[in-house]
Amino acid sequence: MQLARLLHAQGFGTRRECEGLVLAGHVRIAGRTCDDPFEEVAPAGLVLTVRGADWPVVEKALILLHKPAGYECSQKPRHHPSVLSLLPAPLRTRGVQPVGRLDEDTTGLLLLTDDGALIHRWTSPKRHLPKVYEVTTKHPVDDAQLAKLRAGVVLDDDPAPVRAAACEAAGECHLRLTLTQGKYHQVKRMVAAAGNRVEALHRSAFGALRLPSDLAPGQWRWLSGPEAVAGVPG
């Protein structure tokens, strides 16, 4: 593939802008400055250096972000910045979007991709992918509340009880809740129905993926290779 065309596919701008990047000496491959935008390159396994930053060439992007509080999972946010503003411009240009949503005040593991089929696989209710939440509550967690969450609580928009796949106390005012459904404000509403109130909410795991302990709020990283394969539902 021609270098400028590859840069365009990776989100670095229009074809003309990508040609200008190369001609200006802003693109390097394996330490070599490229000066021909029409140079043929093999995309597989290629790492570009664009304006001094390494960029692995991927056909479809899969990103793991540690979402901080105060960001909306929307391309058109209404009251807070979009989580997309935490990503570099090429990822936004190529159409990366969140896999599901976390409320603006919820923190933790968020996946983003430009692969529509992958989004469907991750969010399909038929797959029952587990999502683990660390819940800080207003009042101490007791055995009765845990029993209600395990047995099922009734929400105001559905007469059928909604159950936690797993639920345990992790501190006086901290419970760890595993869900396999995705209803609106589900954790907050379930905890309220059990007789408590959510003060803070953090997602620590999604499917087989866990939020890395060394990934600070607002930071992101590529998912690739064995880690991505292990995390993606079949």
Side-chain angles (χ1 to χ4, degrees), residues 11-89:
F12 283 95
T14 66
R15 289 288 292 274
R16 184 167 296 244
E17 288 170 339
C18 291
E19 291 174 8
L21 274 176
V22 178
L23 292 171
H26 293 314
V27 181
R28 298 169 64 87
I29 297 177
R32 172 181 62 87
T33 299
C34 303
D35 57 9
D36 181 4
F38 305 109
E39 175 184 349
E40 291 288 338
V41 295
L46 184 63
V47 177
L48 301 170
T49 302
V50 183
R51 294 194 177 99
D54 289 341
W55 188 271
V57 173
V58 291
E59 182 179 359
K60 296 293 184 180
L62 179 59
I63 301 299
L64 188 155
L65 170 73
H66 186 165
K67 180 190 174 295
Y71 286 83
E72 294 183 25
C73 292
S74 173
Q75 294 179 319
K76 297 180 179 180
R78 299 179 62 185
H79 306 293
H80 302 274
S82 170
V83 292
L84 298 175
S85 67
L86 298 169
L87 302 178

Side-chain angles (χ1 to χ4, degrees), residues 58-63 91 94 96 112-115 118 222:
V58 291
E59 182 179 359
K60 296 293 184 180
L62 179 59
I63 301 299
L91 287 175
R94 63 189 289 173
V96 163
L112 302 102
T113 184
D114 56 356
D115 187 336
L118 189 57
W222 298 96

Side-chain angles (χ1 to χ4, degrees), residues 143-154 160-167 177 181 190 194:
D143 291 340
Q145 294 169 15
L146 296 176
K148 288 180 181 179
L149 291 168
R150 294 181 187 124
V153 293
V154 176
V162 179
R163 299 174 178 84
C167 182
L177 195 65
Q181 300 160 294
M190 288 180 67

Side-chain angles (χ1 to χ4, degrees), residues 212-233:
S213 59
D214 61 348
L215 194 66
Q219 292 185 341
W220 65 276
R221 77 182 201 191
W222 298 96
L223 286 180
S224 59
E227 183 180 43
V229 173
V232 174

